[in-house]
Structures are given as C-alpha cells and as structure tokens.
Amino acid sequence: MTLHVTRYRPELPQWPHDLPLRIAVLTDLHACLPWTGPAQFSAFCRQTNGLGADIILLLGDYVTGPRFSRPMDAAHWAAHLGTLSAPLGVHAILGNHDYDGYRRADLAHGPIEAERALIAAGIPVYINRAVRLDHAGRGFWLAGLGDQFAFAPKRDRRFARTDGVADLDGTLAQISTAEPVLLMAHEPDIFPDVPGRVALTLSGHTHGGQVKLFGKTPVVPSRYGSRYVYGHIVEEDRHLIVSSGLGYSGWPIRLGTKSEIVVIDLGGDRPI
C-alpha cells in the first residue's frame, strides 16, 4: 500500500483568519489481515503523529475488510489508534461498516464493539454530539454525526434516510455560541442538508470511488453518485472535504485512486 498525504488550505467564510488550526484526518481503515493489519496501522499512526496536527479526526469504518481478508481484533486496531496524539486530542465517529452484524434493536444494549474499543483506547466517539474546544485563545465547535446508513440493507444503493442513526438537527442544536463549527460525517450524503452555519464538513466512505476508469468512478456508495466522491467540494459557499481513506472495501484493489491521510490547514499563515 502506497500512502499519500493530501493537503488542503481552504478559504472558509465561516472560519476566522486568526484561528489557525491544522487537522489530520484518517478514515475507512477497514482493519484486516493482510491488507491493513498491525504493520500498516503502525505506519498510519507514526506518519500522522509526525504531521504537526493540532487535532486528529477519525471518520469511521474501522472494520470489515475486503474479500480475501481476515478480521483484526478490535482491541488490537484500537490500541494502535490509541498511540495517535495531538494537542487538541483525537476524536472519532463511526461508519456504516462498524454496524455490520448489528440490528437497530441491539443499540438498546449499549455501545457497539467499535465504539467500545475506541473508548477503551482513550478516544471519544461522537454520535450526534457536539463539543466546544478552546484553541489559540479562541473557541470552535466539533460536531460528530451518527452514521447515516448504519442499517442499510446490503447491496441496496437507495440509502434511505431511515437506515441510519444520524440526527443533524439534534447535533447542531447543541451548539450554543456563534463560534465556527467543524462537522464530522462519515458519508458525504448529508452535505446538501448542512447549513451555512457549519464552516467545514469532513467525510470519507466513498474511497474516492476506489476504482477510477477513464476519469470516471463507476461504483460510488452514495445516493448522489460521483457528486461527492472525492476532494474539496464547494456548493453555495458551503465547504466539504471527502477523503479517499486508507483501506479497501469489496475488493482489495485501488485503480486511479490513492490511500491517503488528509491534512487541512485553516486560518493563519502556517506553511504547508
């Protein structure tokens, strides 16, 4: 696996210039052997810790590797993620594959395994929750959306809104000041509903299409097709960054796409 660092410095209308923040984003790790096992996780974490990020965000899909893979114990992959370190901490949401094997009724019995493993490793997990963080003499809000397609039927590409546990309105209602907001949402499909109040939405899930042929991404797990498949997307002055992630889904191949860690610099004049 060739690992790239993709860097962005977006100009965000809702983010103040005098609030410099470097964000490192890891998503779609799909822990498994032999593709993204202990050696790969160690490399991911070591490289991320060397990027000088103020905050590290994990955007879900820690489990369920591709065909021809073996699962990695949750405590094992979470322990690797527990070695990540940044001044403002490491923060996580869950993805649709983290709910594989669960039914909605199972949520009544407590957190699912991926959430338990992350919490045990010292990483808070956000499911429709927002918190205020202090940084550089200012403050901002970090919001994490519950997964939108947690219980979507397999092979069903309609992705009905009722398939998940996302509550965008309830999440944003927890924000009690006018300070800027970062929103973590595993799937980018929520983006048309995100208000301009949110400075930046961060997503994964699509793997950048994983396979790109002649500039086209024929298979994208989104109700919007390739509209939000990858990169920095701006619609009506609202900003979204979608990472292609680190692991594999379906088949253990990438063609025309890269596994990546994403680094985003907001505000300030820090060189990239």
Side-chain angles (χ1 to χ4, degrees), residues 103-165:
R103 300 169 301 167
R104 191 178 295 276
D106 295 330
L107 301 185
H109 304 296
I112 64 173
E113 183 178 45
E115 183 179 0
R116 294 196 305 270
L118 288 163
I119 291 171
I123 299 172
V125 179
Y126 296 67
I127 300 177
N128 301 320
R129 185 163 69 95
V131 300
R132 184 186 179 278
L133 300 175
D134 289 301
H135 177 58
R138 303 284 296 272
F140 69 94
W141 289 84
L142 179 65
L145 194 65
D147 188 74
Q148 299 159 65
F149 306 142
F151 303 105
K154 301 304 177 189
R155 306 184 186 280
D156 186 345
R157 298 299 180 192
R158 292 173 296 175
F159 301 110
R161 296 177 185 273
T162 56
D163 288 333
V165 295

Side-chain angles (χ1 to χ4, degrees), residues 84-102:
L84 293 167
S85 178
L88 294 178
V90 183
H91 309 261
I93 58 172
L94 301 179
N96 58 305
H97 281 294
D98 299 316
Y99 289 88
D100 285 353
Y102 287 90

Side-chain angles (χ1 to χ4, degrees), residues 63-77:
V63 301
T64 308
R67 292 174 174 83
F68 317 118
S69 67
R70 305 186 308 279
M72 186 175 166
D73 182 75
H76 198 177
W77 59 253

